[in-house]
Amino acid sequence: MGKENRITYITVRIIVAIMVLFMLSIGARMFAREFLVGRLDSENPILEVIFFDSETLNTSEEGSTEKRNRSEETVDVDWVSIYPFESSRNDHVVHEKVIELSVVNNLNEKVYAAENKVVAYATHHLVGYKKFIETVNVYKKLIGWDINPPDEYNPVVFIEDDYLGRVYRIFDVTGICERISALKDFTEDSGTEFIFVQPPAKICAEDDESGVIDFSNSNMDDVLEGLEENNVNYMDLRKELHADGKDHHDSFLASDHHWKPETGLWAAGKVAEKLNECVDYNIDTEIFEESHYDKEIYEDNFLGSQGTKVSMSVIGPDDISYLYPKKEVNYTLEIPTIGICETGGFDIIYDFSYLEEQNIYERNSYAVYMHGLRAMSTIKNNNIEDGSKILVISDSFNLTTAPFLAQGVGQVDSILLDYFDGSVYTLIKKGAYDAVIMMYSEMSEFSTGDAFALRFNFK
């Protein structure tokens, strides 16, 4: 055997040996997580050896790019039975299509769950995975490599040294405008005011990346233009943010896609102003000024979805605030899917169990607000007896908006269409709301295909 052949022979076998070791470690960790965790103490020597490089023994099946957004739900709520779909005007055809899509979606979720479990063991739970990722990201930052495939999940770029952003490609927003306009028509025909609220994108329209590699703002412009053509009443918080002299980047968490809780408080004030204008409410908007709140700050506590992706080797965790109004409130909080019906002060909107997660890559400090993402939640303000009542259709940005807005309204119902699968039309008819507010941050990625049709089927 020649010298070159011998080197090739040895190299190939070393590579194969490394691959076999990784495969064995994957098998060992999968077996341990699936069958030993929960049966053995977390400090058991066997588990400590198998998970020697883990900060904590986290049993989540999700990868580190996915935070725990919902704690385990304890009550199975059949939203379709409570808020059934219409059977007239050919709506039964739409309903059948939604059921069909729901079945497909449930099957896809099971496939994705199985796939994600395998992928998680081959990536996030792999021996030395975080060190590999940290080393790669340090190298990428060192050479200035900031290019991400636009179709990649959560494509993250550095807007500033300590500020991350997600880039969006151009989308056809025709479907979005049609669905929202139809919902507006139905809502107003029911005698209820409809308001669309556009939160700001994390990347500012004035950033160099906007219109070059990121098109979130142009997509939002297209949505609002389409809604204006259909006479939809809307409010653009991007313009309001700059009009109030707020720093766009400082309004967001540096390592996450969400705005800061302080920005959610500010947004609640803007929505209150709009309600005063459109529904003849008389909300005291001074209650949304930050000076009227005590603040509990957890420093270096939250590494958001974007920071988790690039790792702590290139960006540190955010401080996160939990705000308490100085003026006493009396709320009743109802969250059916976790069996919550509790009356008390403002603190009942918080679930600090999310902070018990010791691994910062898995901790979701943002979900402390409103007990995380839920299909439906209700805040009743027991100090207001004027019968005022609104519905908010929104995404996770509403976690830090609804609890503050409820200080000025008798009842605030919130639904998240990712989990609420009943008829929004029926909910609006039954609810007898003064106003329906739809507030979505960046929904252009759902503008086409079955995912959009299912998520934004309002009937």
Side-chain angles (χ1 to χ4, degrees):
M1 183 182 295
K3 184 177 181 180
E4 291 184 0
N5 289 339
R6 184 179 296 277
I7 293 174
T8 302
Y9 177 86
I10 294 173
T11 301
V12 169
R13 275 153 180 75
I14 291 174
I15 293 173
V16 171
I18 293 173
M19 292 176 65
V20 169
L21 287 174
F22 275 123
M23 291 176 64
L24 290 174
S25 72
I26 290 171
R29 291 191 166 194
M30 182 179 292
F31 175 81
R33 282 180 181 272
E34 298 299 322
F35 299 104
L36 299 183
V37 173
R39 294 179 174 87
L40 300 178
D41 188 276
S42 60
E43 297 182 0
N44 185 279
I46 297 175
L47 296 181
E48 287 183 347
V49 170
I50 295 174
F51 300 101
F52 68 92
D53 61 336
S54 298
E55 296 178 25
T56 61
L57 187 54
N58 191 298
T59 59
S60 171
E61 295 176 0
E62 298 176 347
S64 61
T65 55
E66 294 289 341
K67 296 285 187 177
R68 182 172 69 95
N69 283 323
R70 297 195 298 165
S71 55
E72 198 67 31
E73 297 193 334
T74 56
V75 181
D76 184 18
V77 179
D78 187 352
W79 297 111
V80 175
S81 295
I82 301 172
Y83 303 105
F85 290 83
E86 297 270 341
S87 58
S88 60
R89 300 193 316 270
N90 294 323
D91 284 353
H92 66 283
V93 176
V94 176
H95 186 201
E96 288 175 1
K97 180 62 176 175
V98 172
I99 296 298
E100 179 183 333
L101 289 171
S102 298
V103 172
V104 173
N105 190 57
N106 288 334
L107 289 174
N108 285 338
E109 284 187 358
K110 292 179 180 178
V111 172
Y112 292 151
E115 180 182 350
N116 288 339
K117 180 180 290 187
V118 174
V119 170
Y121 283 115
T123 54
H124 306 292
H125 301 323
L126 194 65
V127 174
Y129 172 77
K130 286 186 175 64
K131 291 297 181 184
F132 290 142
I133 294 299
E134 289 174 358
T135 302
V136 168
N137 283 306
V138 167
Y139 176 70
K140 287 170 67 177
K141 189 173 184 180
L142 183 66
I143 65 174
W145 184 268
D146 201 16
I147 300 175
N148 293 276
D151 292 329
E152 176 186 328
Y153 166 75
N154 197 15
V156 174
V157 296
F158 275 92
I159 308 301
E160 296 175 346
D161 286 344
D162 58 351
Y163 185 85
L164 297 171
R166 175 183 176 179
V167 297
Y168 287 82
R169 65 180 188 274
I170 296 174
F171 288 96
D172 177 7
V173 300
T174 304
I176 288 176
C177 296
E178 290 175 349
R179 290 295 180 94
I180 296 175
S181 298
L183 178 62
K184 167 257 183 186
D185 291 340
F186 175 84
T187 301
E188 293 185 347
D189 288 344
S190 302
T192 301
E193 185 72 27
F194 181 85
I195 304 168
F196 181 82
V197 177
Q198 179 61 73
K202 190 175 183 183
I203 296 178
C204 177
E206 298 176 4
D207 287 333
D208 293 338
E209 291 79 6
S210 184
V212 179
I213 61 173
D214 172 65
F215 299 93
S216 55
N217 282 286
S218 61
N219 290 333
M220 291 176 180
D221 290 340
D222 290 343
V223 169
L224 296 183
E225 182 180 344
L227 297 183
E228 188 169 10
E229 291 175 356
N230 289 284
N231 299 313
V232 176
N233 186 9
Y234 71 83
M235 177 170 58
D236 189 350
L237 289 182
R238 297 175 299 170
K239 293 181 179 179
E240 298 289 338
L241 192 72
H242 289 267
D244 284 359
K246 291 190 172 293
D247 184 289
H248 191 109
H249 289 183
D250 191 53
S251 299
F252 284 82
L253 295 160
S255 70
D256 195 53
H257 61 287
H258 290 109
W259 56 25
K260 293 179 178 178
E262 293 86 346
T263 312
L265 169 64
W266 167 84
K270 289 300 175 181
V271 173
E273 290 178 7
K274 194 72 172 177
L275 288 171
N276 286 346
E277 172 191 336
C278 300
V279 196
D280 293 330
Y281 279 2
N282 189 28
I283 302 172
D284 178 10
T285 55
E286 286 190 9
I287 63 177
F288 304 107
E289 294 178 5
E290 199 173 321
S291 60
H292 291 277
Y293 293 79
D294 293 321
K295 188 183 298 188
E296 190 175 339
I297 302 175
Y298 285 68
E299 296 182 354
D300 299 330
N301 184 267
F302 182 40
L303 188 68
S305 61
Q306 296 167 348
T308 300
K309 183 167 185 178
V310 301
S311 80
M312 287 182 61
S313 61
V314 291
I315 191 168
D318 283 285
D319 298 345
I320 190 162
S321 304
Y322 302 105
L323 308 176
Y324 297 86
K326 294 178 180 178
K327 182 179 179 180
E328 186 177 348
V329 301
N330 186 341
Y331 282 172
T332 295
L333 176 66
E334 298 177 6
I335 306 177
T337 52
I338 53 174
I340 285 183
C341 183
E342 184 177 351
T343 297
F346 194 84
D347 59 303
I348 66 173
I349 68 105
Y350 291 125
D351 179 4
F352 284 102
S353 70
Y354 284 93
L355 301 186
E356 295 172 3
E357 172 58 64
Q358 296 301 306
N359 186 345
I360 197 166
Y361 283 94
E362 302 289 345
R363 186 188 307 145
N364 191 347
S365 309
Y366 196 82
V368 168
Y369 280 88
M370 290 300 294
H371 300 254
L373 300 180
R374 306 294 169 185
M376 186 174 186
S377 63
T378 296
I379 304 176
K380 295 178 181 177
N381 188 333
N382 299 313
N383 293 328
I384 296 178
E385 300 178 350
D386 60 5
S388 54
K389 185 179 181 183
I390 65 172
L391 172 66
V392 181
I393 306 170
S394 186
D395 54 17
S396 53
F397 276 53
N398 191 42
L399 296 183
T400 54
T401 303
F404 301 118
L405 182 60
Q407 293 175 96
V409 184
Q411 180 171 327
V412 176
D413 290 348
S414 300
I415 61 170
L416 184 71
L417 295 178
D418 291 40
Y419 309 115
F420 181 86
D421 57 0
S423 168
V424 178
Y425 281 32
T426 303
L427 171 61
I428 292 172
K429 285 198 296 186
K430 284 187 173 182
Y433 297 103
D434 300 318
V436 172
I437 297 169
M438 184 171 186
M439 182 176 74
Y440 267 83
S441 54
E442 296 167 337
M443 62 181 179
S444 53
E445 61 187 306
F446 300 102
S447 61
T448 57
D450 287 350
F452 174 80
L454 181 60
R455 184 173 182 180
F456 292 98
N457 180 76
F458 300 118
K459 290 189 177 182

